[in-house]
Amino acid sequence: MSWFGLFKSKKTETEKASLSQRLGEGLAKTRARMAGIGNIFKRDVIDEDTIETLEDTLLSADVSIPTCNVIIDGIKARAKQSDPQTAFRDTLIDLIQPLKSDLTVTEGIKPYVILVVGVNGSGKTTTIGKLTKKLQQEGKRVMLAAGDTFRAAASEQLATWGERNNVPVIRQAPGADPAAVIFDAYQSAQARGSDVLIADTAGRLQNQSGLMDELAKIRRVLGKAEADAPHETLLVIDGTTGQNALQQAKLFKDIAHVTGVVVTKLDGSARGGMIFTLAHELAIPVRFIGVGESVDDLQLFDPDAFVDTLLDDN
Amino acid sequence: MFGNLSDRLQSTFKNLSGQGRITETNIQATVREVRMALLEADVALPVVKQFTEQVRERALGAEVLSALSPAQAFIKVVNDALVDIMGGERREINLRAAPPVVILMAGLQGAGKTTTVGKLGRFLTGQHKKKVMVVSADVYRPAAIDQLETVATQAGLTFFPSNTSQKPVDIAKAAIAEAKRKLMDVVIVDTAGRLAIDDAMMDEIKALHAAINPTETLFVVDAMTGQDAANTAKAFSEALPLTGVVLSKADGDSRGGAALSVRMITGAPILFAGMGEKLDALEVFHPDRMASRILGMGDVVSLVEQVTRDVDMAKAEKLAKKVKKGKKFDLEDLRDQMLQMQSLGGVGSLMGKLPGMGQMAGQVDSAKGDKEVNRMVAIINSMTPQERKFPDIIKASRKKRIAKGSGVEIQDVNRLLKQHQQMAKMMKKMAGGGMAKMMQMMKGGMAGGMPPGMPPFR
């Protein structure tokens, strides 16, 4: 590591360094893929070849074509003042910086209700397991509601996470009305003085309007117990998703009033370029990114670290 | 929003009218449009590059048929290439081995393996009359084994119990031995989701494969997967001799370009597509339909098939005869039509399958459309048979009664009557020898990316 690198890591807090390190490990493949970028920037000018390589890099990270064009324009505009690499880094960070807004459980709201939604297999239940642990570490008393009454053994899966973290899980028989399960769980959480209630829901594709209506119903019914609930609606998006991520975010935002996004499975070879597309097209904060199987691998979204990991070509 | 390739090409070719041949000079911009369309459909970049090269070679010098515009001719070349690649070696699932035939499932977390096991088991029991046993070798994810047990019960399959303290290889071997004793025809082995870069887990499934030597090794891939499909497919096919692919969650509104990436990279044919939440929602994969979906040209073929399957043909024929004879199209007929449309899955489902409207399906409030149809049916239901036959007799007081009976306003009744009038007029025109003309309009509409049946502004 160069002196500059050493200086940089000293300057950052220990916590942040370990985070960026973890992220670095998680996105190791990304780095390998993006390796070409460092070489491009060895040159001082941005010519057509450079642009084409940048474009390919962004597109193969699942950045959408319109967003890609915006980024390229940004780089061209900046390249006059700064060197290409800085221009690239700054453009990317500027684009996703507005998405940085962490989940805060408001003091005084008890229980603070977090509704978790998303398409099938995006990682909702696993995210809830990790989030529970995280909130417990902050000293919160958490309760879980098994609102996925459709998928086989979904409530057992959530119950296992409940056991692991030693938190109560409210569940009913398969096929029960999810709105009723979550409403009951709210009352139970209130009675037991829980700080946070996290409600799981069944996975649903955003174009299945009947199932999407069910989410609207959950909101309506929950609103009868507490007008402001759910206080947070998290959309869990699979990090390997392509252009469909935008459509997911749009429809879930419209119908379920999503207030935050969690992008999972970024520890694989997927690059999560959809975050740039989401930043360009929709302004929903990214609350967490999932970079691994363990509880600590649900990380706060850090735009600088995210971009640096993409650019790091070591 | 995603552009429709036919629309894109139409504009690219605007200046080329009169040119009867596709040449190197007029192909440049076109290939770029194809590249964009494929990227927007989530086809992986390396695959896009390879594919566009193939298309360029095929298209060069291709004669443009007189009936087709250069744009249409080019789309045909692209479409044919897609179908060739995705369906070159289409085959059925291989059950020709000494029973029990072993099927191993593999894929990323959340790809839909367990659900696919249930659907596939159901398919083999129903279509092939096989006795199917399923077993879970997922000893990692909480409640994964419970999930398979529930799915197996729902699908009416034999479930071989396992627990998380066992080793996947032992589980699979025990299940196969038991299946032999029970004279089962097929054993499907479900596995844990794993990342392609997780060496330990990839070694595990390699060992599992070596131990049970499956007849089919199926890779399950989410239809919404983006560029990563290429990396994952490559890693899995290097670790395992994949024999087939199942495309899951294909009932979403993604373009499904992952299908092309995975097909080209693994070389394994796509056998099935998962089309819904229910256990019978597994369809044999149709390369031609997937090709038009990737290109954004809608799914006309499957719409036609669905129509022939779900529409009450006797009723449809009766109506056609009636129209031909020049008889009146009454409110009874209108109601039948609307009910048929609903049995096809409502407005939203239809829109998604029409060329150029796939993306609109997500935007148009299809729920509202369906509601409107419901309301119209309710209004007609509130009429007497005589009123339905002779709508002209419906005057003020009848309108009032009908509105009350169906819980709508009088304006709604008026609107329905007016719509019916317009339709009846159109039907009359059709009966008067306009049928052929109408069909031509539909054809023209399709090629241009317009939904069939939409009257062109001429």
Side-chain angles (χ1 to χ4, degrees), chain A residues 56 62 120 206 265 269, chain B residues 42 49 109 227-228 249 253:
Chain A
D56 282 2
D62 288 319
N120 316 59
Q206 70 278 7
K265 307 184 199 173
S269 40
Chain B
D42 286 325
K49 286 183 172 163
Q109 288 94 341
Q227 298 288 321
D228 186 51
K249 306 178 211 175
D253 52 9

Side-chain angles (χ1 to χ4, degrees), chain A residues 56 59 62 65 120 150-153 157 205-207 240 242-244 247 265 267 269-271 293, chain B residues 1-2 36 39-40 42 49 109 141-143 147 150 195 197 224 226-228 231 249 251-253 277:
Chain A
D56 282 2
L59 291 174
D62 288 319
I65 293 174
N120 316 59
F150 179 81
R151 206 207 68 200
Q157 189 185 348
L205 298 179
Q206 70 278 7
N207 61 335
T240 62
Q243 305 300 319
N244 197 246
Q247 193 66 7
K265 307 184 199 173
D267 48 332
S269 40
R271 277 148 272 170
E293 303 270 336
Chain B
M1 252 314 116
F2 299 145
M36 290 298 172
L39 283 169
E40 284 180 342
D42 286 325
K49 286 183 172 163
Q109 288 94 341
R141 211 202 63 199
Q147 186 189 349
T150 313
L195 290 169
I197 56 162
M224 296 178 286
Q227 298 288 321
D228 186 51
N231 308 327
K249 306 178 211 175
D251 53 328
D253 52 9
E277 303 262 349

Side-chain angles (χ1 to χ4, degrees), chain A residues 46-62:
Chain A
I46 297 186
D47 54 18
E48 277 308 306
D49 276 359
T50 317
I51 294 289
E52 205 182 304
T53 317
L54 286 179
E55 213 175 62
D56 282 2
T57 309
L58 291 169
L59 291 174
S60 42
D62 288 319

Side-chain angles (χ1 to χ4, degrees), chain B residues 44-96:
Chain B
L45 191 60
V47 175
V48 171
K49 286 183 172 163
Q50 201 184 330
F51 180 78
T52 45
E53 203 40 55
Q54 285 187 18
V55 167
R56 182 201 298 270
E57 277 166 24
R58 276 198 194 202
L60 271 179
E63 292 270 352
V64 176
L65 295 172
S66 55
L68 298 171
S69 69
Q72 288 167 332
F74 196 81
I75 291 170
K76 193 173 173 315
V77 171
V78 176
N79 191 64
D80 290 352
L82 278 173
V83 173
D84 278 0
I85 291 169
M86 285 192 296
E89 295 158 39
R90 206 182 136 215
R91 62 172 185 89
E92 292 212 351
I93 189 152
N94 182 10
L95 301 170
R96 288 179 307 275

